[in-house]
Amino acid sequence: MAYTVPKLKDFSTNALTRAFLDLKSAFQEEVAKPRSEAEWKNFRDRWMARKNGLLAQVNDLWLKAAPKEAKREVGKLVNEVKQFVEQEFEIDHGWTNTANAFSATLQTVDISLPGIRRSIDAEHPIIRTQNEIVRVFQDLGYSVAEGPVIETDYYNFEALNFPPNHPARDTQDTLFLANQESKPRREQLLLRTHTSPVQIRTMEKMKPPLRILIPGKVHRNDPPDASHSPMFHQVEGLAVDTNITFGDLKGTLDHAMKALFGSDVKTSFRPSFFPFTEPSAEMFVSCFICGGSGKRGADPCRPCKQTGWIEILGCGMVDPNVFEFVKHNGYDPENISGFAFGMGVDRIAMLKYGLDDLQLFFQGDVRFLEQFG
Ligand SMILES: [Zn+2]
């Protein structure tokens, strides 16, 4: 039997309380029943309709009918009833959580459909690769150092043993900031072309021994194509101490490459030239894609150009001329020595993920980036 608002003969507190409790339990039973928008609307109208809704009846049958002396108490009760019912309609109180209950607030949502998944940030493949490199060296006791992306000519070139008009400056195709012609050369601002200025900045602040890793963005005036970008990422390392030798450099980097690319990769060092290291070398790892064979099945291995080796980084013993710039802070090349290395993170990420177009990293296409989530 559906609940109807009873006429009250007895207006005692006891009787009023019982009437309220009956109404409450009737409401609570009914509120769980609607299974569709139409049923919900009927339920709502049954209770809330201005004309002859149950609340309106409570007003008529209880309050209006009450004898004078009971009006005050009945009035209080009727207000409580109203508040209770109205609050129940206002608050969600579990309708949205009860799978088989229908909620007014969800009437436009088909709850049988899967929810909308909000994608949380995926680590960008370049940052992920950079972090992997950093972690390998952190395990060896290196700490991370950072510095400004907008640098002075002094830190980017001069203190790294590139004299003015040195040919190596041309090969870097530097992006200078405009309107600085009136400044002395060493104070002119540019977008750093490598992370190496942070080596000098750190040595100015910290005395030896030093083991730092420098990840960061660098810029060169290269038009974007499949293997170039005007902005890219480097990780450099610097170790300075007494008696550091080329053997330490080889051992450290060989260990790091095995940690990054697998314990069976081999490393090979070939002489090279950088203004800030002497001697300098390029380091190759045996191709971790074809296993060093230069072939993938019957096809040539493209990443290593069929040589079985991939060039990964440049390195060398810190040139004593570089230490001269920070000699005042304990870096006397008579007493200390060090090695440095630098690698391009973007290229390593391309190799790791088997990509042949660098631009994919920078186009911000969610369909591409999602794959790394
Ligand atoms: Zn290969």
Side-chain angles (χ1 to χ4, degrees):
M1 275 287 281
Y3 174 76
T4 52
V5 180
K7 284 184 184 168
L8 297 181
K9 289 181 191 121
D10 183 355
F11 288 92
S12 69
T13 309
N14 268 351
L16 291 173
T17 308
R18 206 174 315 121
F20 187 21
L21 289 175
D22 285 349
L23 179 141
K24 261 189 171 172
S25 64
F27 182 91
Q28 274 154 354
E29 207 184 317
E30 287 184 36
V31 76
K33 283 183 179 164
R35 289 288 180 277
S36 69
E37 195 175 345
E39 284 178 20
W40 175 260
K41 198 169 168 299
N42 285 342
F43 166 68
R44 202 184 158 86
D45 285 346
R46 172 169 149 77
W47 283 85
M48 302 288 278
R50 283 200 181 192
K51 269 193 181 171
N52 223 25
L54 294 179
L55 272 191
Q57 289 180 35
V58 165
N59 210 48
D60 289 339
L61 298 177
W62 295 0
L63 185 59
K64 283 187 183 166
K68 238 185 188 170
E69 63 278 15
K71 278 243 193 294
R72 226 184 116 142
E73 208 183 349
V74 178
K76 247 173 76 186
L77 174 89
V78 169
N79 268 341
E80 270 179 50
V81 172
K82 267 192 185 165
Q83 264 179 19
F84 165 74
V85 174
E86 279 165 6
Q87 264 175 22
E88 292 289 310
F89 276 103
E90 256 166 45
I91 58 167
D92 242 352
H93 95 94
W95 291 319
T96 48
N97 299 330
T98 314
N100 61 355
F102 182 83
S103 161
T105 60
L106 280 179
Q107 43 190 263
T108 56
V109 177
D110 181 348
I111 58 169
S112 66
L113 291 174
I116 297 165
R117 182 169 297 201
R118 186 180 288 243
S119 65
I120 50 169
D121 294 350
E123 204 172 30
H124 191 282
I126 287 181
I127 300 302
R128 178 185 289 193
T129 305
Q130 182 175 292
N131 288 343
E132 281 170 14
I133 298 167
V134 168
R135 227 167 288 135
V136 166
F137 286 93
Q138 276 180 328
D139 289 347
L140 292 172
Y142 283 67
S143 53
V144 170
E146 287 178 308
V149 176
I150 297 176
E151 261 301 358
T152 59
D153 186 281
Y154 174 77
Y155 283 107
N156 195 75
F157 291 125
E158 188 180 332
L160 290 162
N161 203 32
F162 292 82
N165 307 318
H166 191 285
R169 289 186 169 205
D170 292 336
T171 64
Q172 298 212 351
D173 251 7
T174 309
L175 293 161
F176 278 86
L177 273 68
N179 304 322
Q180 301 184 84
E181 291 75 12
S182 58
K183 282 187 188 171
R185 175 95 192 215
R186 53 167 34 188
E187 288 173 25
Q188 289 181 12
L189 295 173
L190 48 86
L191 297 179
R192 69 180 180 193
T193 59
H194 44 191
T195 43
S196 316
V198 186
Q199 295 190 19
I200 300 293
R201 287 181 174 278
T202 309
M203 285 192 285
E204 284 180 343
K205 276 184 284 189
M206 298 166 70
K207 295 190 187 305
L210 192 70
R211 277 168 185 74
I212 53 167
L213 208 64
I214 308 158
K217 282 186 174 59
V218 301
H219 295 78
R220 289 184 201 178
N221 188 20
D222 283 327
D225 64 25
S227 52
H228 295 87
S229 163
M231 186 279 297
F232 54 102
H233 300 77
Q234 279 192 342
V235 172
E236 286 199 7
L238 171 68
V240 184
D241 207 335
T242 47
N243 301 318
I244 292 225
T245 67
F246 203 87
D248 297 316
L249 178 156
K250 288 176 81 172
T252 302
L253 293 180
D254 187 72
H255 167 87
M257 293 306 117
K258 286 177 164 60
L260 280 171
F261 302 115
S263 54
D264 49 0
V265 298
K266 297 184 186 73
T267 50
S268 162
F269 294 79
R270 304 179 193 177
S272 183
F273 169 80
F274 304 108
F276 35 88
T277 46
E278 179 60 36
S280 304
E282 272 157 3
M283 194 192 72
F284 291 70
V285 297
S286 56
C287 180
F288 43 86
I289 292 152
C290 63
S293 68
K295 287 196 186 112
R296 299 173 81 181
D299 297 326
C301 178
R302 278 175 60 200
C304 67
K305 302 189 184 87
Q306 304 178 60
T307 62
W309 293 93
I310 293 177
E311 187 191 336
I312 286 288
L313 55 77
C315 57
M317 301 304 290
V318 178
D319 193 308
N321 289 340
V322 171
F323 286 136
E324 289 293 336
F325 287 91
V326 284
K327 197 172 175 176
H328 57 277
N329 200 28
Y331 293 87
D332 185 342
E334 295 293 320
N335 305 323
I336 48 105
S337 57
F339 64 78
F341 54 89
M343 60 193 111
V345 179
D346 315 64
R347 206 171 137 263
I348 294 175
M350 282 172 76
L351 290 165
K352 258 184 66 131
Y353 295 113
L355 303 174
D356 52 14
D357 186 356
L358 175 63
Q359 295 307 314
L360 285 169
F361 286 137
F362 306 127
Q363 286 161 347
D365 188 328
V366 175
R367 290 166 301 179
F368 168 74
L369 295 172
E370 263 176 357
Q371 301 171 57
F372 304 92

